[in-house]
Amino acid sequence: MTIGSNEKVAAVVLAAGAGTRMGSADKHKVCFPVVGVPAINRMVGALRAEAADAVVVVVGALAGDVVRTVGQAYPETTFALQSQQRGTGDAARAGFQPLQQLGFSGPVLVTMGDKIVAPGVFRRLKEEFYRTQSDAVFVVNRKSTEDQGRVAVGDDGTVEWLMETADIDRLRFFGRLKTLLAKTDGKPIRPSTLQKLAEETISSKSKIAAIVGPKLTPLLSASDPVPAATVAAAMDEGADTAQTNAGPITGEQAVRRGRYVNESVYLIRAEALSEGLSHLSGRTAQGEQYLPDVISWLLRSRDNQGQSRFKIRAMVLDEPTDVVGFNTPDQLVAVEAIVASREKKVTVQRQAPSLRPLDSRTAKPLAAWLKLMEKNDAATKRALARIYGSDESLLEERRRMYVKVLKLFGKRYGTDRQVVISRSPGRINLMGRHVEHRGGYINTMAINREVLMVAAPREDDLVRVTNVDRSNFPDRQFHISQELAAVPWEDWISYINSRRVQQMVLDARGDWINYVKAGVLRLQQSFRDVRLLGMDAAVIGDIPMAAGLSSSSAIVVATGEASIACNRLDVTASDFVDLCGEGEWYVGSRGGAGDHAAMKFGRRAQVSRVRFFPFAFEYVPGIPETHRLVVFNSQIRAQKSANAKDVFNQKVAAYEFALMMILDRYPHYAHLIEYLRDLSAEHLHLRPHVIYEMIQSLPQAMTRQELRATLSSAHRQKAEAIFQTHQEPTSYDIRSVMLYGLAEMARSQRFG
């Protein structure tokens, strides 16, 4: 480093925790590989390359595994033992002790072994430390998650305060309890009211007793209403307010002002770290000590004149994914995708096994499939009836479609191939139009029209498709690698938003190959460590085009199913739905995944009730055997032109802008509102007229210029990204779109 002094920097990496959520009895969490390299070795390597002259790794649980993993790659590493796992603060003390014994007096970088840090972050942290001549600088992120504490940062980068989630929950609980007591006018309070208040305010249900405290906890489960005076006496004095460098704050103020989260990467002067560690005290009954409390103590420390003794600053990450971590296997998968993208691993490490046989439960030689369908014996009829019902004419109609598409495959690609058949039905949405991407329910049914695809894997990455209706769907082909190679992509959004892809889709507007590409390319982006094989495919379908029955989405779903089978990928049903929904963004729309869920989960004569964020699914009784639901074709075409997609994306944008303005105008509800569905009287515990007043506060329409002038700085970056999804309209219908969405979500929730 050319900035700062010549003093050496040491690093302490915490890797003593048990990491039980990874589910391994013999491999430590930090030793799991991330794109082929153990996470702990990535950390030690990055520290040695950018920041530290010496590294101490603190071990505890499964210490042998950690020592063996790090020692083989970095034999010069020092190891320190935390004999009992008593929190990150105690672990930092264990790692700092050998440095003290050696007389080390330079800055110490303290972080966690399960963190994956992007190149340049440590170097930038070190520069910030010396440039500002701080006693401590730590990394914060703009994102907000359930399990990370909050940090308040001033405009100049100085830290005002940081709090753990449990501390904020405690402030919020006692603040709301104080408000509740004021409203009761001395009347007894039902225990169920106290319990509900705790569950709505405290994010972790397992921590309710610890946060509420021993005096109040018994009152939550009392058998009779509790006198208000008893509740008030059980409250600790000042429990609803915390003292900070910026003055006293409440829990609600902490949620609003704590716009950053602590990423647990600290650079601290040795003397400041020593003093902070010496003042740590146990936070739990087990005596656990937390490393963030070192920063909190340094912030509170004053000299004889009442001035701050230590200068503490926060360094905001340039990108939210510059520091990521994991606690569970599914989080590790997400981290792998981020790191693979960062390191440009799209050209992947391994090839999908091109010659490995397909799953015999779903694949057969083409001739065998054709024989089954042409012979149409009792077993085949039963199999088809399980899917389509007992209507003889419908079964015969379906059988002929199978025969046609199988013969087409044989004619175009040969009869000696092992093939799979994927199918995707059309769907109708009985209630819940275009609200699934706002968090609302949709209520769908599959219909007896569908897309069938017969597919066989290739040994290269060429995808070839042919259609029984060649006049409307001419033969097409593409190479997966060529589609991706021309555009650098960090993620799916950046890829589909690139000018080249947008122009390519525009040039091939309405071409059915775009929907095949959507299914295949989204899978390749998700499985970055596998080079997907191409496939030869024949397609037939009888879902009317532009009739509002999602004929195009059916192609995406059928393609996705076929590509997964050809590549033997492991994809859960819910992930498949998300991948298909995001895949269809390739063609320009920005809708949800409701259509794809309806196709994946549809059952004959039953209503599929679906909601997202998180994904929830249930079947409800549909059409009884004595009735039929008849769908008539109005012959009015819902053509998916570029203009139609623009109008659709404008409506989606109006939802986003309306919610942004609600969050700006009613910040005291912001912590409760993540999706449009959250703007309800039930969720916010308000009278319905308050919701109407909130909607009425919105302008009827706004131009882009007005939006830029109105939205707070917190929303401007996201708003600009939304503007890029469509042409600029004369204005956005803000209030009417919001009112429609809320009403439709209420209708669709009741419909089931």
Side-chain angles (χ1 to χ4, degrees), residues 150 161 163-172 251 254-255:
R150 305 270 184 154
W161 51 260
M163 291 188 200
E164 295 295 316
T165 300
D167 295 328
I168 295 175
D169 285 351
R170 182 180 294 108
L171 292 174
R172 292 180 63 218
V255 170

Side-chain angles (χ1 to χ4, degrees), residues 252 255-256 661-672:
E252 303 300 337
V255 170
R256 291 197 301 272
M661 280 186 274
I662 291 291
L663 295 176
D664 284 344
R665 296 176 185 199
Y666 300 91
H668 45 293
Y669 295 118
H671 63 286
L672 295 173

Side-chain angles (χ1 to χ4, degrees), residues 424 451 512 514-516 518 543-546 549-559 584 587 589 595-596 599 640 645:
S424 179
V451 167
W512 74 299
N514 286 335
Y515 296 94
V516 178
I543 306 173
M545 291 186 295
L549 298 173
S550 295
S551 58
S552 53
S553 295
I555 296 175
V556 177
V557 170
T559 300
E584 198 160 338
V587 301
S589 63
D595 292 346
H596 314 87
M599 295 167 184
K640 287 195 174 181
K645 289 189 178 72

